[in-house]
Amino acid sequence: MKLDFNDDSSLTVALTGMGVIQALKDDELEGSYVYKRDFSKVASPVNEAEFTFESFSKQLAEKKVNIKSMLVGKNALVVGLSNNAFQDIIFRTKIHPKRKASDLSEDERRSLYDMIKLVISERIQLGGKDQFTDIYGRQGQYTPAMGSNMSEKTCLVCGTRIEKLNLGGGQVYLCPKCQK
Ligand SMILES: [Zn+2]
């Protein structure tokens, strides 16, 4: 889909696999199942005003649940992070995927917060992941630091063989040495 605006800017969306594109007026949003599920009341990591470190840190510290359920899925405290983005983010912050949110130190919560913002902005600036193309056929330039692309490989940081876990209804790749 390509949407042209009056100021000559445009928005393009390319769907891979399953998805939906809806054109709605503001007053129709509340009736939209997709909007209510994914966007209402949950902070967006690209919105500075909604996604603050104070709020993020406080919510993590209070929850004795797995870190993945706080970042991905219907109970997440940010909207829009995929299982792949999760693997990338926690590898780059050296956090083990089985950690509980409430067990993270203040420093770890800070680096997690900073890394979420960094990974999202890098993915946007580089035109998305390298396994996808946009509507013009241009390939994304972002290569995830961790994820299924690292299957059967060794860690680029320490050389340890990458492991795979089943976690929260999906597979999570990790470096057992770098991630604690
Ligand atoms: Zn490693």
Side-chain angles (χ1 to χ4, degrees):
M1 179 197 79
K2 180 164 183 268
L3 198 58
D4 291 319
F5 297 100
N6 291 335
D7 65 357
D8 290 337
S9 65
S10 58
L11 170 72
T12 65
V13 179
L15 293 180
T16 305
M18 276 175 40
V20 60
I21 297 174
Q22 289 180 299
L24 299 171
K25 293 177 181 166
D26 287 350
D27 59 1
E28 295 169 332
L29 279 177
E30 285 303 320
S32 159
Y33 159 72
V34 176
Y35 178 78
K36 281 208 287 200
R37 185 194 63 185
D38 289 349
F39 292 101
S40 55
K41 299 191 185 81
V42 182
S44 162
V46 294
N47 184 321
E48 299 283 340
E50 287 178 2
F51 187 55
T52 64
F53 174 69
E54 289 66 32
S55 163
F56 178 75
S57 178
K58 182 167 177 285
Q59 291 182 77
L60 285 183
E62 286 169 351
K63 293 279 170 62
K64 291 185 173 56
V65 299
N66 184 272
I67 185 75
K68 184 178 173 186
S69 66
M70 300 294 287
L71 300 183
V72 184
K74 61 179 171 28
N75 299 317
L77 50 86
V78 285
V79 69
L81 291 183
S82 63
N83 184 40
N84 181 267
F86 167 73
Q87 297 170 64
D88 202 2
I89 289 162
I90 60 165
F91 172 72
R92 291 175 68 177
T93 45
K94 303 189 186 304
I95 292 172
H96 194 281
K98 283 196 165 174
R99 295 280 298 279
K100 290 202 167 21
S102 55
D103 293 343
L104 298 179
S105 68
E106 167 102 20
D107 284 350
E108 286 175 323
R109 295 199 296 268
R110 170 59 77 176
S111 40
L112 197 57
Y113 175 81
D114 291 341
M115 191 56 72
I116 289 171
K117 297 184 90 79
L118 180 64
V119 165
I120 296 293
S121 73
E122 285 182 354
R123 285 182 175 216
I124 292 171
Q125 280 171 16
L126 293 172
K129 282 200 292 179
D130 55 12
Q131 73 202 87
F132 296 117
T133 53
D134 67 13
I135 67 166
Y136 305 104
R138 288 184 303 225
Q139 189 178 7
Q141 299 297 311
Y142 184 88
T143 303
M146 186 55 67
S148 56
N149 57 318
M150 292 301 291
S151 175
E152 310 284 317
K153 293 184 181 164
T154 54
C155 176
L156 297 174
V157 176
C158 75
T160 302
R161 191 169 173 81
I162 298 303
E163 291 182 0
K164 181 171 75 172
L165 282 177
N166 286 314
L167 187 67
Q171 292 172 334
V172 172
Y173 291 84
L174 72 144
C175 172
K177 189 172 177 198
C178 288
Q179 293 173 256
K180 302 291 180 196

